[in-house]
Amino acid sequence: MLYFDYGAGMPLAREAFEAMEPFFFEHYGNPSSTHECGTPAHEALDRARGQVASLVGAGEKDRLIFTSGATEANNLALKGVARRARKRGTHIVTTAIEHWAVNTPLKALETEGFTVTRVPVEPSGIVDAGAVRDAITDETVLVSVMYANNEIGTLQPISEIAAYTNPKTCPLHTDATAAIGRVPVDASCGADLITLSSNDIYGPKGVGALYVREGVRIEPVMHGGGQEYGLRSGTENVPGIVGFGAAAELAARRLHEDMAHMRALQERLIDGITAAIPAVHLNGDRERRLPNNINLRFDYVEGESILLSLRVYDVAASTGSACSSKTLAPSHVLSALGQNNEEAHGSLQINIGRHTTAAEVDILVKKLPAIVRRLRLLSPLTPRDMQKELEESS
Ligand code: PMP
């Protein structure tokens, strides 16, 4: 299998697995227990919190709340801040390209009486910080802008936007799930709440965290025994959190090496494919983008048909977010770039990672032109002159 779907899932780092193992059989105590069996679990949580805090440059008085993943961290950030601020204001600002794990909790808040402004993005897939500033009113209690887009890889101007927000009155939340481990994500960017996911840094699935800057007013969504600073009740997933911590330490150590590796392969893929296939367009800005993401639009063919053809060669890629892959609706991210349904359906997403090799990239670059040529020959959308050319060259 040639795996180009690192955005949807990653293998566990061996270091994370080895750190987790003792917490299944040996140290099974509850971290909240005061007897000896709870101590290793409690200490392990502290250590993991330190490892993740260090990856994102959290200060001593900031809080890091472990959750069941990025979705839960987003729900806690959005609902927790908005509901707490309800008496002061009910307006929230976000962008048109957020992941469903931000979009849907915001829709839920709309049913509770909040109003949400979704700022459009430029055709490059980047939101204009000035447009976000202009959308903020005296009633605004929260701004949520993703750090990087998970489909088209574009990096958003978080530091610039942070100049218009305030941790106490109108905090800035950023969903950094797609960015963590791929580019530096540090609290010094000015975001007051940062969503993190373990599996995106080769940690276990089903674990995440929310970074909360000192002074941010937030209330829990999950009520119970008062774990995690009273903000996320429920016995902590100790093995998962330990694995997340180990993965975070490894990600911090390897960040620059991983970035350089992915950036080189990304260039190789974009240059190789665009040189070999006509009428291909890169979705999202080429410079201000994650090093792991390649999202290409092929005129006259459907991304789904390319995916099916690639499966014959045991190549796994995607056409968008794995979380919405069961719907036939065009990606809301590509629509936000101004693409019509036909254009938005013509995209293929390639996500590389730490273990991707140049040899794998070269196989994809070699296979893809023949697949696209065959699909274009069959497609009624292909212009006659291109079809004629394809016939003559095949
Ligand atoms: N936000 C973004 C940007 C994502 O790409 C994803 C999916 N990986 C999520 C949130 C949801 O993550 P999870 O399924 O871990 O809750």
Side-chain angles (χ1 to χ4, degrees), residues 7 68-72 74 99 101 146 148 150 175 177-178 197 200 206-207 323:
S68 64
T71 301
E72 189 191 330
N74 283 340
H99 188 273
M146 67 200 321
N150 52 298
D175 178 355
T177 308
S197 149
D200 284 77
V207 192
C323 313

Side-chain angles (χ1 to χ4, degrees), residues 24-54:
F24 288 106
F25 300 109
E26 250 174 89
H27 307 310
Y28 46 79
N30 189 312
S32 296
S33 298
T34 47
H35 53 71
E36 268 173 36
C37 281
T39 310
H42 180 82
E43 286 173 356
L45 278 193
D46 283 350
R47 184 172 146 78
R49 210 180 303 279
Q51 288 165 317
V52 179
S54 160

Side-chain angles (χ1 to χ4, degrees), residues 196-213:
L196 305 165
S197 149
S198 156
N199 189 231
D200 284 77
I201 53 169
Y202 306 87
K205 292 178 182 57
V207 192
L210 181 67
Y211 159 85
V212 182
R213 188 180 297 284

Side-chain angles (χ1 to χ4, degrees), residues 256-272 286 290-294 352-353 356-358 361-362 365:
H256 291 283
E257 187 189 333
D258 282 351
M259 272 173 71
H261 172 69
M262 291 188 289
R263 189 67 80 192
L265 295 183
Q266 180 188 50
E267 296 282 310
R268 198 176 177 112
L269 265 163
I270 297 174
D271 291 343
R286 177 150 184 175
L290 295 169
N292 60 300
N293 174 291
I294 299 106
I352 54 177
T356 310
T357 64
V361 162
D362 290 346
V365 170

